């Protein structure tokens, strides 16, 4: 039974929504309740089927799990293109985010979508299938197919159920993304050709392509071709202008999926393709991407500050938050990359919830202008409480998921270069400014518009949509261990590929090496090659005390009045904590 | 022991959940009682743990309890782990003890508020966050409490969110605090980069083992951490949020903005004493900021007319005192003042709340006067608070403030400059408190007839809290009788400086401080770092200086009486004579206006410029420009696609001729 689950689950997760979508199209147009119920049921079944993934996933393993490979297209007798699916720690959470947010987005559409509901829910399920496919595909053709296929339902969702300028936004979204993906298609073909020249094997399999030797120029060009597609998707500054338009025009559920899952495909692509396939080029372009990420963090926040439209504000805040994720990925420290990954998950939950919140008052008032609101906390207390919690998750309050991601990214960037962290962390201040100012103008103050006086508070369905998202952010914020443990091996493997490829490798200590920390006579702290860029090295197996192996750090001065009293540490008996000599005499010296 | 340490923060969290979920369905009395009881439960547990701690040998007074791993990945480790040592114990007892009394006071004060359960949910959440802050055994968990109390402060300042001024003040508090948190965050990263851990134990041990080589890095770390402290504890330049925070309900001002949260910065500096002593430059910065803030805020308090704002500036000033003591290298004195201040400032704020209750929420002292007649309990307890904060013996403030002023001179990093700041501030403090008290409780009543009609003493639940706090404010000082006085009165050994002795395992002894400072590179070369060994036991000097301070304080109170009771109008006349000074003080040195002009407006303008200028014009211009260019080019080619066969035939003909011509050439 479990064997069957392991082999087939990813295929089921991808194609079950597609089948459900086709079935919905067969249902009578007028049976609205049945259509909604069926769509939600399909999404919930998919969610339920995906949950065991989390528990069955073997967190110690870095490689692919739940793999299935079936030959698909033969070229000169070899199976060049295969139906190959599988997930590692990175894609596991992207898949879970997809199934989770899809169910929530569908449940969140019941209030807002009133026309062509049959087609709408069919497209939503198609979209879910496409997104799941992108994250599980391990063959470049399969990946590219899903990557492109997923654009179609999104295009229609924006273009048909969107706002006033929906056609403009849909076309812009489509073209922008297409430009990136076409370059990526060329790059895929070149990559496969280079591999064929080298090995004589025609294959599109991602796992087999990861060690293709190529010239610096080829690597750079391929990196740029892949990178542009992903940078547009993230979106990184300055390719972000499609995002505010797409978000503002898309229906609520479209925005939730767009922000929650689609944008993550960019960061996922960086992690899955750019870093492991082109490590040297990644290292060469890392300063550029880091610079763009940091600009994005500050720029997105400053522009969000002055937005009069709530959705645009949240859209620009996404630019800022995903800048944090990209920064974490490209500093190439394990902490930073872990943080980037958590930030992606966290952003999916908190921004998804923010868009739902905006949608809920849009459905009541048919406007998103911040100035149209004010004081509605008094009439909608539940909404106010939830909006505030979602906001806090978004601005990275500790014990909520945003903090885990941001902290790890900032820490990882500090270890790479403290100035990265200094600039990036200003986002902490700016995010509080734009979010709280919005809260003030929407929730607080006197009620300024008479129409707002009669607003109804959230109903049970709306609570049921929002509460799981908030619960998710709190869970990851308070006890992130299960998540971190599952991601870490996969990211560590990528990090081990990219980190030695540092252009900065000439000077392992780096300009800000805190050399003063070490004693001249002491041996340098333990370094491993993969951590070259980190200034002070944190061996992964160490417990709390990293510098224990550095005897000079614990040099004892028996004559000193400094008897450090913390030795009675219950988790670690004194004898094991540090060199024996500095315990007993000090304690008695008191 | 460990078994119930975790219950201390958990109980208030339980209260939050109950009041947030069922609060509106519970009867008010139950909802309030739950909130008070959970805090009281924490208090009992805290005291029990404290007794347990005292029973241990002094060197081993520390209890660790690791609950569960938190963010642990990629070589970074942090856990949700608690630590109970003398410093935590003092903080826990203050937070839950004073906190409990303020909760009880709120039962009466908030009785008529429609959002009663929400208020108590926030208050309990605050208690939880504050307890996490003081119980954390590592920097990152401390930061959870650090941001958590900031959040509760935001929610409670803006509790009456219908008022624009309240929501403005809440937002300002949160954002200014975030500026400080930015520094704290960077400080934590720096710590991890250098020491490979964020546990207090690991970090301090490494610093203590090797102070000489670490000075430069630790100075950087301490300065960054201190940025956080200036935000949370409202010091120059980030103090601007605290006066505005008075928009919140008065019990909130008493609990958060006087007794507990704002002292978090002092707690943090004291907690990191080893690091600060290893960074003499940072310590000097702490002392200077503290001394400047103490004086600066006291001058502003002289001319404010809002009863709560006077107290707010007074809080800023007293916090400056605490930092000055820490900066002089005597952390125990700072923490001792923190504790006594919690009693008398909570008392003063709750007294102010009682006055406001009677005055129909009017806070302007120009419309008060002679209230002693109607509010005897409030008046007498308020006087206790005034005398305590002015440093009149035997009230608690005398002991703690005297200790600070003495330390600022005699501490290992002390200097006569700090002493002068301390004494002048003490005189100003006595004066503005006398002005406040005389104007409110004595002299001619100046309120409207309507207000006069409604004047009443507060209900017993509030009055009793005032009395209990007054007892605390009177007696807390005897916990720490200075050696000079104890010697004079022939008190037994264990009465002498009991509090300091209890605290020393957590915040270091004089000898340890001197040792660390001497070991730190350049410690003796930096400005004020005159190590004062000889001053320690000079009783004559100590009594002489004490006398100066006392005489100034008493003189200031009498001057206050003369100016505001005997000759009311002197103050106004003086203000008219010095209009510039008066206006500058009344406008708080225009610092708010400065920030608005230099940071807020340019920030908004930059945002607008980037959006409308760069995003819309430049980027969108390029994107749409490409689209338009494509459209124009395709329009050009469309000319050829007419759909008429004759045109295509002509085209084929022209092409054929062209090819033939090319071939024939």
């Amino acid at each position: 039974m479990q064997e069957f689950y392991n082999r087939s689950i990813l295929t089921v997760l991808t194609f079950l929504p597609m089948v459900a979508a086709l079935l919905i199209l067969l249902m009578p147009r007028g049976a609205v309740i049945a259509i909604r119920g069926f769509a939600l049921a399909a999404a919930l079944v998919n969610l339920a089927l995906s949950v065991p993934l989390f528990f069955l996933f073997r967190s110690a393993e870095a490689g692919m799990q739940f793999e299935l490979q079936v030959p698909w297209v033969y070229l000169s007798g070899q199976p060049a293109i295969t139906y190959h699916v599988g997930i590692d720690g990175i894609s596991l959470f992207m898949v879970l985010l997809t199934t989770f947010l899809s169910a929530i987005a569908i449940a969140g559409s019941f209030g807002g979508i009133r026309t062509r509901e049959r087609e709408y829910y069919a497209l939503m399920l198609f979209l879910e299938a496409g997104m799941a496919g992108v994250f599980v595909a391990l063959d470049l053709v399969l990946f590219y197919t899903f990557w492109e296929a997923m654009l179609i339902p999104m295009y229609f969702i924006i273009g048909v159920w969107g706002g006033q300028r929906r056609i403009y936004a849909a076309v812009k979204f489509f073209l922008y993304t297409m430009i990136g993906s076409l370059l990526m298609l060329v790059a895929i073909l070149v990559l496969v050709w280079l591999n064929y020249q080298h090995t004589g094997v025609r294959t599109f399999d991602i796992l087999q392509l990861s060690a293709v030797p190529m010239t610096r120029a080829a690597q750079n060009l391929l990196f740029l071709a892949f990178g542009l597609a992903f940078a547009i998707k993230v979106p990184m500054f300055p390719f972000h202008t499609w995002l505010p338009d797409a978000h503002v025009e898309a229906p609520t559920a479209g925005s939730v999926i767009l922000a929650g899952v689609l944008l993550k495909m960019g960061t996922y692509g960086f992690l899955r393709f750019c870093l492991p396939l082109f490590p040297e080029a990644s290292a060469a372009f890392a300063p550029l991407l880091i610079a763009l990420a940091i600009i994005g963090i500050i720029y997105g926040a400053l522009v969000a500050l002055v937005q009069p439209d709530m959705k645009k504000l949240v859209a620009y805040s996404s630019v800022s938050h995903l800048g944090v994720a990209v920064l974490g990925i490209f500093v190439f420290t394990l902490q930073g990359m872990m943080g980037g990954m958590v930030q992606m998950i966290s952003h999916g939950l908190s921004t998804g919830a923010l868009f739902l919140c905006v949608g809920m008052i849009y459905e009541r008032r048919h406007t998103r202008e911040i100035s149209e609101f004010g004081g509605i906390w008094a009439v909608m207390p539940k909404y106010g409480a939830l909006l505030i919690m979602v906001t806090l998750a978004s601005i990275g309050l500790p014990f909520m998921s945003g903090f885990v991601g941001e902290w790890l990214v900032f820490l990882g960037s500090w270890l790479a270069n403290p100035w990265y962290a200094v600039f990036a962390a200003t986002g902490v201040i700016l995010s509080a400014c734009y979010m709280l100012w919005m809260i003030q103008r929407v929730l607080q103050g006197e009620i300024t518009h008479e129409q707002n006086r009669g607003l109804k508070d959230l109903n049970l369905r709306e609570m049921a949509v929002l509460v799981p998202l908030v619960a998710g952010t709190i869970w990851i914020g308070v006890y992130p261990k299960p998540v971190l443990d599952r991601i870490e091996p996969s990211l560590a493997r990528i990090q081990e590929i990219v980190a030695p490829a540092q252009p900065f490798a000439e000077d392992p200590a780096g300009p800000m090496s805190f050399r003063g920390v070490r004693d001249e006579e002491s041996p340098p702290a333990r370094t491993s090659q993969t951590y070259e860029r980190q200034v002070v090295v944190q061996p992964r197996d160490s417990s709390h005390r990293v510098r224990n192996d550095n005897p000079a750090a614990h040099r004892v001065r028996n004559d000193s009045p400094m008897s450090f009293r913390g030795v009675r540490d219950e988790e670690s008996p004194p004898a094991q904590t540090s060199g024996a000599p500095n315990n007993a005499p000090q304690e008695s010296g008191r | 022991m460990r078994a119930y340490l975790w219950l201390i923060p958990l109980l208030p969290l339980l209260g939050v959940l109950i009041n947030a979920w069922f609060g509106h369905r519970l009867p008010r009395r139950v909802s309030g009682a739950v909130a008070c009881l959970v805090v009281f439960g924490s208090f009992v547990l805290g005291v029990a743990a404290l007794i347990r701690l005292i029973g241990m040998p002094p060197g081993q007074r520390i209890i660790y309890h690791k609950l569960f791993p938190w963010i642990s990945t990629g070589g970074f480790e942090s856990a949700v782990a608690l630590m109970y040592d003398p410093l935590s114990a003092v903080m826990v007892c203050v937070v839950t003890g004073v906190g409990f009394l303020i909760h009880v006071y709120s039962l009466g004060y908030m009785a008529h508020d429609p959002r009663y359960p929400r208020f108590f949910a926030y208050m309990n959440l605050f208690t939880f966050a504050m307890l996490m802050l003081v119980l954390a055994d590592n920097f990152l968990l401390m930061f959870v409490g650090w941001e958590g109390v900031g959040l509760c402060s935001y929610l409670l300042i803006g509790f009456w969110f219908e008022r624009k001024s309240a929501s403005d003040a809440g937002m300002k508090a949160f954002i200014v605090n975030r500026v400080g948190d930015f520094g704290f965050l960077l400080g934590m990263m720096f710590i991890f980069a250098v020491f490979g851990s964020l546990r207090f134990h690991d970090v301090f041990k490494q610093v203590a083992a090797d102070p000489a080589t670490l000075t430069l890095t630790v100075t950087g770390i301490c300065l960054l951490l201190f940025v956080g402290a200036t935000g949370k504890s409202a010091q120059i330049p980030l103090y601007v949020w605290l006066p505005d925070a008075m928009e919140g309900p008065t019990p909130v001002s008493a609990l958060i903005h006087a007794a507990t949260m704002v002292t978090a910065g002092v707690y943090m500096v004291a907690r990191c004493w080893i690091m600060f002593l290893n960074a003499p430059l940072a310590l000097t910065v702490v002392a200077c900021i503290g001394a400047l803030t103490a004086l600066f805020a006291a001058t502003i308090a002289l001319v404010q007319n809002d009863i709560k704002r006077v107290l707010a500036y007074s809080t800023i000033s007293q916090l400056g005192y605490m930092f000055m003591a820490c900066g002089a290298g005597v952390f125990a004195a700072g923490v001792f003042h923190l504790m006594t201040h919690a009693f008398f400032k909570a008392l003063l704020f709750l007294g102010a709340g009682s006055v406001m209750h009677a005055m129909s929420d009017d806070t302007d002292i120009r419309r008060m006067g002679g209230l002693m007649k109607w509010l005897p309990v409030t008046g007498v307890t308020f006087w206790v608070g005034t005398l305590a904060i002015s440093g009149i013996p035997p009230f608690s403030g005398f002991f703690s403030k005297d200790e600070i002023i003495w330390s600022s001179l005699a501490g290992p990093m002390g200097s006569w400059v700090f002493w002068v700041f301390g004494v002048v501030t003490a005189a100003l403090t006595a004066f503005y408190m006398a002005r406040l008290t005389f104007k409110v409780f004595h002299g001619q009543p100046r309120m409207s007839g309507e207000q006069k009609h409604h004047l009443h003493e507060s209900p017993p639940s509030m009055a009793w809290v005032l009395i209990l706090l007054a007892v605390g404010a009177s007696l807390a000082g005897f916990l720490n009788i200075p050696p000079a006085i104890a010697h004079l009165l022939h008190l037994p050994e264990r009465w002498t400086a009991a509090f300091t002795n209890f605290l020393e395992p957590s915040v270091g002894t004089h000898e340890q401080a001197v040792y660390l400072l001497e070991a730190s590179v350049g410690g003796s070369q930096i400005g004020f770092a005159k190590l004062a060994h000889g001053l320690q036991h000079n009783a004559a000097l100590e009594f002489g200086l004490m006398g100066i301070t006392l005489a100034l304080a008493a003189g200031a109170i009498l001057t206050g009486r003369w100016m505001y009771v005997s000759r009311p109008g002197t103050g106004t006349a003086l203000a008219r004579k010095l209009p510039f000074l008066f206006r500058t003080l009344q406008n708080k040195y225009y610092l708010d206006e400065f920030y608005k002009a230099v940071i807020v407006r340019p920030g908004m303008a930059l945002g607008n410029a980037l959006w409308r200028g760069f995003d819309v014009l430049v980027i969108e211009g390029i994107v749409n420009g490409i689209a338009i260019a494509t459209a124009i080019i395709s329009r050009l080619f469309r000319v050829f696609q007419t759909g008429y066969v004759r045109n295509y035939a002509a085209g084929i003909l022209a092409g054929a001729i062209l090819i033939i011509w090319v071939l024939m050439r």
Side-chain angles (χ1 to χ4, degrees), chain A residues 168 172 176 237-238 240-242 244-245 299 302-303 305-308 312 316 334-335 338 375 377-378 381 388 392 395-399 403-404 407-408 410-411 414-415 421-422 425-426 428-429 431-433 436-437 439-440 443-446 476-481 484-485 488 514 516-519 531 536 538-540 542-547 552-555 557 560-572 577-578 582-583 587 590, chain B residues 2 56 58-66 68-81 83 85 115 118 122 128 132 137 140-141 143-144 147-148 151 154-155 158 161-164 167-168 171 174-175 178-179 182 185-186 188-190 192-202 204-206 208-214 217 224 271 273-274 504-506 511-512 515-516 603-604 606-608 610-612 614-615 619-620 623-624:
Chain A
Y168 171 78
K172 192 172 179 180
Y176 235 124
F237 175 88
H240 62 274
T241 54
W242 64 268
D245 282 317
Y299 182 93
L302 282 173
V303 175
L305 192 61
V306 294
Q307 294 307 314
K312 256 192 169 157
Y316 277 107
L334 192 51
Q335 293 93 339
M338 289 297 296
W377 199 353
I388 288 210
L392 296 173
I395 66 177
L397 201 84
F399 275 180
F403 178 73
V404 180
W407 163 252
L408 284 171
F410 295 154
L411 181 71
W414 177 288
L415 295 174
V422 172
T426 54
V428 169
I429 305 172
S431 66
C433 295
L436 292 187
W437 196 33
I439 290 286
Q440 184 190 26
L443 288 183
Q444 302 180 325
E446 291 283 349
I476 297 179
V478 175
Y479 194 62
K481 189 173 161 41
L484 297 172
D485 285 352
E488 185 167 333
F514 315 123
V517 175
R518 292 184 199 139
D519 292 320
Y531 283 79
V536 170
Q538 280 75 48
R540 298 212 349 252
S542 79
S543 62
H544 281 305
R545 301 153 203 89
V546 171
R547 277 164 43 110
H554 298 291
R555 214 170 1 157
R557 290 166 205 264
S560 85
M562 289 303 302
S563 51
F564 192 80
R565 49 110 175 96
V567 268
R568 239 180 55 82
D569 183 344
E570 301 194 9
E571 302 144 37
S572 46
T577 319
S578 52
N582 66 341
N583 289 306
E587 200 58 45
R590 167 160 290 278
Chain B
R2 287 162 100 182
M56 295 162 135
Q60 294 171 14
R61 283 180 183 161
I62 189 159
I63 302 163
Y64 285 109
H65 187 197
K66 183 173 169 181
F68 56 89
W70 187 29
I71 307 177
S72 297
T73 186
F76 176 77
E77 300 274 340
S78 67
V80 176
M83 174 175 96
D85 72 342
R115 291 192 285 263
R118 191 188 290 177
Y122 289 167
F128 163 72
M132 289 305 279
D137 96 325
L140 203 66
L141 191 64
F143 188 73
V144 174
E147 284 258 285
L151 164 70
Y154 162 76
L155 292 171
F161 57 76
E162 284 88 351
R163 286 212 307 253
K164 174 97 168 42
S167 64
D168 275 345
M171 199 166 74
F174 197 91
I175 289 170
R178 272 250 157 162
V179 176
F182 168 73
L185 266 176
L186 293 179
M188 288 197 296
M189 294 172 210
F190 204 162
F192 182 77
V194 175
F195 299 105
S197 171
L198 284 181
R199 284 194 70 199
F200 296 138
H201 174 90
D202 301 342
F204 299 156
K205 192 161 155 181
Q206 292 185 41
D210 192 15
T213 39
L214 285 168
T217 28
L224 284 172
R271 171 61 75 206
W273 66 281
I274 295 185
E504 261 168 2
S506 289
E511 290 73 37
Q512 286 174 327
Y515 164 76
L516 273 170
M604 298 289 289
L606 181 63
N608 259 315
L610 286 179
W611 177 39
R612 289 183 208 280
F614 194 75
D615 225 54
I619 302 182
E620 285 288 80
V623 171
N624 289 332

Side-chain angles (χ1 to χ4, degrees), chain B residues 61-256:
Chain B
R61 283 180 183 161
I62 189 159
I63 302 163
Y64 285 109
H65 187 197
K66 183 173 169 181
L67 297 180
F68 56 89
W70 187 29
I71 307 177
S72 297
T73 186
F76 176 77
E77 300 274 340
S78 67
V80 176
L82 306 180
M83 174 175 96
Y84 204 74
D85 72 342
L87 183 57
S88 302
V90 169
M91 293 301 291
V92 166
C93 292
V94 169
V95 169
T96 53
V98 176
F100 168 67
L101 291 178
I102 296 175
H103 273 75
V104 172
Y105 178 93
S106 309
L107 292 176
Y109 192 85
M110 299 300 287
H112 304 293
D113 198 279
R115 291 192 285 263
Y116 192 77
R118 191 188 290 177
F119 178 81
F120 282 104
Y122 289 167
M123 290 287 269
N124 277 349
L125 184 64
F126 169 78
T127 312
F128 163 72
M130 192 69 204
L131 289 171
M132 289 305 279
L133 198 164
V134 299
L135 283 170
D137 96 325
N138 60 66
F139 282 99
L140 203 66
L141 191 64
M142 186 185 188
F143 188 73
V144 174
W146 191 268
E147 284 258 285
V149 291
L151 164 70
C152 298
S153 164
Y154 162 76
L155 292 171
L156 282 164
I157 294 169
F159 184 73
W160 291 312
F161 57 76
E162 284 88 351
R163 286 212 307 253
K164 174 97 168 42
S165 55
S167 64
D168 275 345
M171 199 166 74
K172 184 173 176 183
F174 197 91
I175 289 170
V176 173
N177 265 301
R178 272 250 157 162
V179 176
D181 296 350
F182 168 73
F184 197 106
L185 266 176
L186 293 179
M188 288 197 296
M189 294 172 210
F190 204 162
I191 292 173
F192 182 77
V194 175
F195 299 105
S197 171
L198 284 181
R199 284 194 70 199
F200 296 138
H201 174 90
D202 301 342
V203 175
F204 299 156
K205 192 161 155 181
Q206 292 185 41
V207 178
D210 192 15
T213 39
L214 285 168
T215 298
L216 196 65
T217 28
V218 171
T219 304
I221 292 171
C222 286
L223 288 175
L224 284 172
L225 291 179
F226 186 60
V227 172
T230 57
K232 193 89 358 188
S233 292
Q235 298 294 293
I236 292 172
L238 297 181
Y239 74 88
V240 287
W241 64 271
L242 186 59
D244 291 15
M246 298 302 129
E247 289 292 337
T250 305
V252 172
S253 312
L255 177 62
I256 301 186

Side-chain angles (χ1 to χ4, degrees), chain A residues 378-390:
Chain A
V379 286
M380 301 175 71
K382 284 182 204 160
Y383 177 78
L386 278 167
L387 180 58
I388 288 210
M389 286 169 87
V390 170

Side-chain angles (χ1 to χ4, degrees), chain A residues 37 57 104 197 332 477 524:
Chain A
F57 189 86
I104 284 185
Q197 292 223 308
F332 300 153

